[in-house]
Amino acid sequence: MATPGTTISQNSGTITGTDGTSKTAASNGHDPEEKRPRVSSQTQAVHAGEKRYISHDSLTVPIVQTSTYTFEDTASLINYMEEHMFWDVPEREEYGRYGNPTVRAAEAKLAALDAAEDALLLSSGMAAITTTLFILLSQGDHFVMTEDCYRRTRGFCNTFLTRFGITCTTVAPGDYDAIEAAIRPATKLIFSESPTNPFLRCVDYARLVEIAERHGLRTIIDTTFATPCNVRPLEYGIDLAIHSVTKYLAGHNDLLAGCVTGSFDITTALRQSQGILGAVVDPHCAYLILRGIKTLGLRMRQHNESAFRIARYLEDHPRIRRVWYPGLESHPDHEVAKCTMTGFGGVISFEVEADGPTTSRFIDACVIPRIGPSLGGVESLIEQPGIVSYFDTAPEDRRALGITDELVRLSVGIEDTDDLLADFEQALASM
Ligand SMILES: *Cc1c(COP(=O)(O)O)cnc(C)c1O
């Protein structure tokens, strides 16, 4: 597996104010990073982004629970307005929809983790995706998307965006010739997930960037399933990384949020649009994100190791027909994943050697994983995609997408692996 190449100089987005002073865009500077040239993503997860936002000698970033901010006098208000016009990210805040110190600290941490110039937090992963596509695309534009993207993302592209005259061609994951063939003069960007849901297909970033650069297109990766601990797409030249922070980054199945990381120019454009579209995160949620990310490295290590062991166990089990996990040699993108990722994540998809109802009996017999949608939290979750995400899809359309009744998606939490294995053993024996 690739070694985690951790770069520390994330703040290349330096901007200069009217008075000639300069400041950095992501403001993620903190001593461990400044003093040492290279630290691991776990050290970044604990410290990055916080220092500037800490006050009253507090160790942790305060929750600045306010909707608005006041000014000493009219002169300071005018001064702020002038700065804001030229600086994009002013030193202070004005109104909650345009910024909040707790939110900014979480954004700075996320930017550091993705080795990005800046990050923008939004109210959900879907808000991150919809805001980004709304801002980067205009009437008459076209884009290319891999066909196994998150169902709501596809829904947004095929229903909302078409109403604004924006069209999209979907191509099979892993088919780079089809991506290239889909590009036309109106094409503006390529959007993909990696790993995808539920089959965990992994993008060859270098290949995608090469195609995009040849055609002058932007690239966006929804990297929710990987997290910056396992891969940082921006280091391969991908323009924007999108995360559903709801999943691994926050990590505790207790909030909804999304983020976009990338160049300061694009995140600033998105930030200005967010002030209009309004999908902001509240300060308490931002605090939970900061707190959750501190253990990201520890949690991801456990998710990666535990899921790998469970995937191997399932692959060898006679009652399991097929397993999809990028760490397994049997996975179609194993080579790509091995070369680009430092861990393969906590989600495993598999087909039980049975019919749909028997598969449901297996799921019902599991004691530790709870039945439910979502993934990436400390609690293991299990579901049949045919009953959750694809319940309202016609059976023939489901089958065309490979979503059989026997397909199970498991999000491995941080419970003890031996306990989980024993649970699957008894559940498979009882079905
Ligand atoms: C969950 C998810 C989303 C949507 O995120 P929300 O936070 O639920 O809005 C988008 N993409 C992927 C890959 C996801 O798993």
Side-chain angles (χ1 to χ4, degrees), residues 304-415:
N304 288 338
E305 286 176 13
S306 197
F308 208 159
R309 265 186 76 195
I310 292 167
R312 284 208 198 94
Y313 160 84
L314 292 170
E315 193 166 54
D316 289 342
H317 199 288
R319 304 295 309 266
I320 301 296
R321 187 183 303 146
R322 181 163 180 198
V323 180
W324 286 265
Y325 186 70
L328 298 176
E329 275 175 25
S330 56
H331 190 276
D333 297 320
H334 176 64
E335 284 305 317
V336 168
K338 210 170 67 175
C339 293
T340 51
M341 297 170 76
T342 51
F344 303 111
V347 176
I348 307 166
S349 293
F350 55 95
E351 272 175 354
V352 178
E353 190 63 77
D355 57 9
T358 312
T359 303
S360 301
R361 278 205 296 283
F362 155 70
I363 286 181
D364 290 344
C366 291
V367 177
I368 298 173
R370 306 291 299 273
I371 302 169
S374 201
L375 61 113
V378 292
E379 296 95 352
S380 290
L381 289 169
I382 195 162
E383 56 147 296
Q384 277 162 283
I387 297 180
V388 182
S389 299
Y390 294 89
F391 191 70
D392 55 1
T393 307
E396 58 274 18
D397 294 341
R398 269 209 302 258
R399 271 192 294 276
L401 291 165
I403 310 291
T404 61
D405 295 344
E406 309 86 71
L407 183 68
V408 177
R409 190 186 76 181
L410 168 69
S411 171
V412 178
I414 62 164
E415 300 95 341

Side-chain angles (χ1 to χ4, degrees), residues 49-70:
E50 301 203 0
K51 193 179 176 192
R52 190 182 149 205
Y53 302 95
I54 286 173
S55 58
H56 307 293
D57 299 317
S58 164
L59 174 61
T60 56
V61 174
I63 302 173
V64 183
Q65 190 74 43
T66 187
S67 60
T68 192
Y69 304 83
T70 59

Side-chain angles (χ1 to χ4, degrees), residues 123-127 129 150 152-153 193 195 197 222-225 243-247 255-258 374-375 409:
S123 54
S124 68
M126 281 314 299
I129 292 164
Y150 185 66
R152 300 291 173 202
T153 304
E193 284 173 21
N197 176 27
D222 178 338
T223 179
T224 299
F225 277 53
H243 304 266
S244 169
V245 176
T246 312
K247 315 293 170 49
L255 60 84
L256 283 136
S374 201
L375 61 113
R409 190 186 76 181

